[in-house]
Amino acid sequence: MNLQEYEALRLFASAGAKVPKHILVKDVEGAAEAYKAIGGTVALKAQVAVAGRGKAGGIVKVSSEAEVRAQAEKLLKSEIKGLKVESLLVEEWINAEKELYLGFTIDRSAKKAVALACGVGGIDLEDLVKSKDFTLVREHIDPLKGLMRYQAYHLAKGIGLKGGAIIRFVDLSIKLYQLFKSLDCELLESNPLALCKDDLLIALDARIIVDDNALPRHSELAQSSLDLNPLEREARKEGFSYVDLEGDIGVIGNGAGLVMATLDTVTYYGGRPACFLDVGGGASSETVEKAVRLALRNQRVKVLLVNVLGGITRCDEVALGLVNALQANRTIPIVVRLVGVNEEAGRRLLREAGIGYYESMEEAAEAAVKALRGD
Amino acid sequence: MNLQEYEALRLFASAGAKVPKHILVKDVEGAAEAYKAIGGTVALKAQVAVAGRGKAGGIVKVSSEAEVRAQAEKLLKSEIKGLKVESLLVEEWINAEKELYLGFTIDRSAKKAVALACGVGGIDLEDLVKSKDFTLVREHIDPLKGLMRYQAYHLAKGIGLKGGAIIRFVDLSIKLYQLFKSLDCELLESNPLALCKDDLLIALDARIIVDDNALPRHSELAQSSLDLNPLEREARKEGFSYVDLEGDIGVIGNGAGLVMATLDTVTYYGGRPACFLDVGGGASSETVEKAVRLALRNQRVKVLLVNVLGGITRCDEVALGLVNALQANRTIPIVVRLVGVNEEAGRRLLREAGIGYYESMEEAAEAAVKALRGD
Amino acid sequence: MAILIDAKTRVLVQGATGREGSTHTASMLNYGTKILAGVTPNRGGSTVSGVPIYDLVSEAVESHPEINTSIVFVPASAAPEAVYEAIDAGIKLIIIVTERIPIHDTINLVAHAERKGAKIIGPNCPGVITPEVAKVGIMPAHLFKKGRVGIVSRSGTLTYEVAWALTRSGFGQSTAVGIGGDPVVGLGFVDVVQMFEADPETDAIVVIGEIGGDAEERLAAYIRRQGLAKPIVAYIAGRSAPKGKRMGHAGAIISLGSGSAEEKRAALIDAGVNVAELPSQIPILLKKAIQRRA
Amino acid sequence: MAILIDAKTRVLVQGATGREGSTHTASMLNYGTKILAGVTPNRGGSTVSGVPIYDLVSEAVESHPEINTSIVFVPASAAPEAVYEAIDAGIKLIIIVTERIPIHDTINLVAHAERKGAKIIGPNCPGVITPEVAKVGIMPAHLFKKGRVGIVSRSGTLTYEVAWALTRSGFGQSTAVGIGGDPVVGLGFVDVVQMFEADPETDAIVVIGEIGGDAEERLAAYIRRQGLAKPIVAYIAGRSAPKGKRMGHAGAIISLGSGSAEEKRAALIDAGVNVAELPSQIPILLKKAIQRRA
C-alpha cells in the first residue's frame, strides 16, 4: 500500500526526521489559507502516488497567494498519469545546498533489505539505478541485526558527505530504517533529502510503500489507495487481484500466472487486454459471478475471455457463475476456455446456456481476438 | 539490580500478566488502610530482596484488621537475613488450585537466555534446580528469534498443564519473555505462579533482577537497592565493588580476582575477612584514600590488609592514598603488600609514613592474621 | 530418485486440521504420499484422514522419526513460527504453501533456515510433485505424469497448464517444483536447476518465470557462467503487463526499472536458453532442443 | 607459534583515540606489537602514536589487508556495533577489553560471531599476551616472560599475580589468555585449553578460575571425557565468598545454587587436575606435575 505523502511525512516526523512545514488541502480556498499560514515560497504538490510526479507537472513552486490560487485550481482539475488529483500538499519551500537520495527497499536476490543512498536527489530511483552518471551506494541489512551505524556511516561517506553532515545522515538513516522495519515497508525513501546549511537534513519528500501482507498488523495506518483507480479499489475490496489495462478484451482466469499468460496469448494474437482479473484458487460460483460483473463494469471491455484450468477450482462452479452473471446481462461476446476438474458438468451448463467453450488457451485467445474484430 | 517486589508486580501487570491487588505500605497505619481497601484475607510481605523470604518468616497470612496491625508492627521491626524491613506489601490472598514456577534467566554455558518452568511453585529456584523430586523444564532461547510459542507450549505440556491452561501459560510466557528481554534482565520469575479456577494464571510473586550494566538504558526504573546494606550502597555510589563480610580483616586490592584471592589467603591462614573492596584498575591516590576511609567505616574491621599488584595501577599513587587516609586516622593495624609499577617510590612513601609492607600476598595475609591476634 | 521428493519422503503436515490443511492431506494421501503426522496446537490426539495429529512438531518427530519433510498450511500470522518449529525439530525440507506472509517475516525465516541448513520452498507456492511417486503440495495431480522433464516455476496454475501440455505431448515429468510467487522465497531457480542438472532421472528442464525481480536474469547469468548439460526451455509470463502494477503475485511487479518480461527473455536467450512465446510452444521447443543435443 | 597471538599478528585498535585506547596503543607498540591501524568514527585521518586512524573498519582493512586481529576499547554502549563491524570486515579474532557491556548484547554478539566464524575473547578481559612476541591487551607486560606454560584466566590482576609468580620460579609463558570476567564470554576455558593442548610451544597449562557459573566444571567434564596429555594446574578464587553476592566481576557470583569454589575444586580434582590452594602454590604444583609426567 502506497501511503499518502502527508501521512508519510507525518510518520517521518514521528520517527525523528526533520520535514518541511506542510498542510494538506482539498480545494483552492484551503490552499490559500495554508499559504497564509506558511508564507514565503511554497511548493504545491499533487497528492497522487505515482513515480515521476514532478516531471509530469505535479509539483509547482509558488510565492504569492494569487499564484497559489491559480496553480491550485489548475492542479485540482488535472489528472496525472491517469490518476485524478483530489488533494494538494502545501509545503514550505526549503533551500537545499544539495539534494540527496536515501531509501530502503527489499533486494530479492540477496533476500535482505537494502539501504540505498545517492549524492544526487530528486531523480527517480529507477533512473538512479540504471544511470551510470551517479554512484548509488548500497548496504545490505542483515535481518538478524538490522542496519548498523557503521553501515550508515559508509553510505554517508560513499555519497561524499563530510563532518557534521555524516553524523546527521547516520542518525537519520538509523531512524528511518527503524521506521521501514517497524512499518513492514517494501519501500521507504526520501527523494530528495535536502542537505541545508549547518548540516541540517530535511526530507523534502517522503514515500512509503507498506507490504500489503503486513497490513493486518498495522491497524494504525489509514487505508489509503491513491495508486488505484475506483474499479481497482472495488476489486481489492472483493478480494480479487485486478489490474486495469488499456485494451478491449477483458481477461478473467484462475491463478495469477495463468491470467498473465492469457494476456500474453491475447497480445500474441494481435489483441489488447482490457484487464487482468484473477479469481484465485477454488472460486465458488458466486465469486465467479462477481468477477464477471466487475469486469463488465470496465467500459473498455468489448469481449470477455475467461480462462480456467480447474485443479482446486471446479469447472462446474465456474460455469454456474458465468451462466448466472450473463443471464440478464449478455451484451458483449464471451469466450470461455474451461478444462480440468468436473469439466464435463461445467461444459454441460455452458452448452445449456448457449455459451461456447474451448479446449486450449491459445484457441480461446485467438477466438476472443476474432470476436472483437467481428470475424 | 534487584527490583522491589511492588515495582516488579507493576511491570508484570503492564506487560499483561495478571497480578493480585496489592498496596505498598511503610507503617502499621498504612497497612490497616490497605487491608480495608483489599479486604478478606491478605498476605503481608516484607519488602526485602532476598531469596527464601517466606521460609524466614517474611510472609504472613492475615484475615482481620487487628491481625494486620499486629503482624505489620512485628514485621516492620524485624530484620530478614540481615536486611531491615522498611516496607510491606499488603496483597490480596489468592486461592490457587496449583502453584507453578515460571522464570527466565541466563544460561552461561549455552550463552543464551533460558526459560524455566516447574509444576511446583513457591520453592527456591536453587532448590528446584538441585532437587530430583520435581521436573524443571527448560527451553533455551535463540537470541536471534526470541522465545517461540511452540517452546512455551512445550514448557506448558512439560509441567503437566492441559487445555485452556496451556494457552494461557503460552501467552503469559511470551509476555514475560518480552519483559525479560526489553528490561535487560538477568532473572525474571514468578514464584509461585498460581493456577486458579477457569485456568486463570496469577503471578503471586514477581521477582526481577536487571543487569547492572544495562541500567544506563533503563532510566525508567527507580534505582532500588534493597539487596544492599548502607555501606554497600555508598560504595556503589563511589564506584567501588564492595561486599560486606562477617569477619574482622578488611581487604582492599586492585582487581576482583586478586581481592578474592586475598580473601582466600587470609582464610587459609586462619583469618576471617570483613569486606571485599576492589578499587579497580589505575586507581588514583584519591580513589585509594576514599576506599580506605570506606573500609574503616565498617565497624567489624580490626585490621586492614591492602594488596596491590601494580600494572596499570601505580604503586606511588596507592601509597600516597594510603598515607593520606591514615594520617589522621590510624586506629587499627594496617598491613600492605605493594609491588609493581613505581614500587620503589611507593614503598619510600610508606616507609616515611611508618607503614610496613610485604613482597608477597601470602606474607601480607599471614601478617594481617597475626596482627589481629596481637602477635 | 527425482529431486526433493521421492519414495523416501515422509511428510508432516503443519496446520493439518484447517480447511486447506485437511483437504490437501486427504488429497496427498490419496496420491500415495506417505504422511506420518500432522500438527495443530491444542488438537493433539485427534486425527485427519487417519493421520495422527500432535500439538508440537517435536512430539510428531519423536513419534515418527522418519519424518523428513514438512508442508505448511498454517495461516500467515503463525506460519513463520511454524517454520521455525520445523527447522528446530531438525526437518530439512519445508514447503510453505501459506500465502500473504509479510516479506520481512519471510526474510527472517529464510535467513534462519540458511543458518540451520534447512531448505525452504515457498512461501506462496503449490509445492512439489514427483509424479506417480509422491506429491507434497496442492497441485491437481491428474495433470502430471511420470517422466523425465523437470519443471520449476514461480506460478501455480501456469505450472499445471504447462505440465498438462507436456503430459499430452508425451513428456512426463521427473519432478515439478513451484518455488512460489513472493518477492523473497527459499529455493530459487538456480538452486532447483542445479538439482535437475545433477539428477539422473531428469533429461530436460522447463523453467516458468514471470515479471518482477531478477530470478530469471540470475538463472541466465548462472547458465552463462557454468553451462548446462541438459536441454532447457523457458517461458516468461507477463509480456503485456504494465509497469508498477502488481499482477496477482506479490512478486509479479515491474519496479525500480527492472523485472520486465523482455529483459528476462533477452537474458535467457543470450544464455542459450530456448524461450517459448506461448505456453503451448514449450513441448515443441523441448522436442527440438532434445533432438539438437542428441 | 604459541596460541592466538604470534609473530604474524597484525592488529587493529577500535576506539584507538579514547583515553584507554590511546594509552594502550602506545604500550602495545612499545612491546613490539604490530598495530597497523586504529578506528574511531569522525577521527579518520589523524594518528595515535603514529598509527593511522580511520573512520571505518572497512577502510582500515582495505588500506591494511594484513590486519587479522582487533582489540576493542570502545565504550560499552557502542562496543557491540564495533564488534559487528570488525566481524563483517572479516576479522577473525576480536579481543574485547570493554567492560560493562549488557549481557543480552554479549549474547547477541557472541551468537553473531559464531555464525560468521569469528573468535571473540572477552568482553571485560585483559587480552592476550605471547611474551616477548606481542601483547594484544592491557596487562603489565614486564611481569611476563617467554616460556612454555600456557595461562588461561577469568581474572585480570590475578593473572598478573600468577604470571609473575611463574616468571620468578623460572616458568616463562607461551601465551596468557584472559577470557574475561563476565557471565557470558566468547572463548571459554575448554576452547583455550584445547588450543594449548595442540600447541607445540606449550608444555603445561595453568587455569585460573573463580566462583560463578560452571566454566570450571565444564572444563573438568571435558578433561574427564577427553583426557589431557599436558600437565595442568588450576586455582579457583573465591573460596571465602558468600552466596548471592557479586564479587567485583559481573560473573563472579554464587547463584541458583551453583558456582561455589568448593564445587569447582572438587570437579577439577575429580578430573585429575592439580588444584592449588593459594596462587603461590601454582609453580610448586606445576613443577611436581611436570616431574610426574616426565
Side-chain angles (χ1 to χ4, degrees), chain B residues 280-332:
Chain B
S284 67
S285 61
E286 288 80 15
T287 305
V288 172
E289 189 179 337
K290 266 189 206 158
V292 172
R293 288 186 194 282
L294 191 86
L296 292 180
R297 285 179 46 202
N298 179 332
Q299 299 297 320
R300 284 192 305 282
V301 172
K302 300 287 180 277
V303 169
L304 192 61
L305 169 59
V306 178
N307 179 12
V308 169
L309 171 67
I312 310 168
T313 310
R314 284 165 47 195
C315 291
D316 51 343
E317 286 284 326
V318 172
L320 187 60
L322 290 176
V323 169
N324 289 343
L326 297 172
Q327 228 159 16
N329 186 15
R330 192 163 163 191
T331 52
I332 59 166

Side-chain angles (χ1 to χ4, degrees), chain B residues 2 49-50 80-84 212 224-246 274-278 294-295 297-300, chain D residues 100 241-248 253:
Chain B
N2 248 298
V50 292
I80 292 179
K81 298 198 170 182
L83 298 176
K84 212 180 141 351
D212 287 343
S224 64
S225 39
L226 286 186
D227 48 341
L228 301 181
N229 71 27
L231 210 53
E232 287 172 336
R233 286 184 211 182
E234 192 160 330
R236 175 172 296 195
K237 266 188 225 152
E238 303 274 8
F240 296 123
S241 286
Y242 176 92
V243 178
D244 238 359
L245 302 170
E246 294 176 349
C275 68
F276 164 103
L277 201 169
D278 174 13
L294 191 86
R297 285 179 46 202
N298 179 332
Q299 299 297 320
R300 284 192 305 282
Chain D
R100 305 204 145 266
K243 271 195 199 178
K245 290 285 186 180
R246 205 168 296 266
M247 305 301 279
I253 179 166

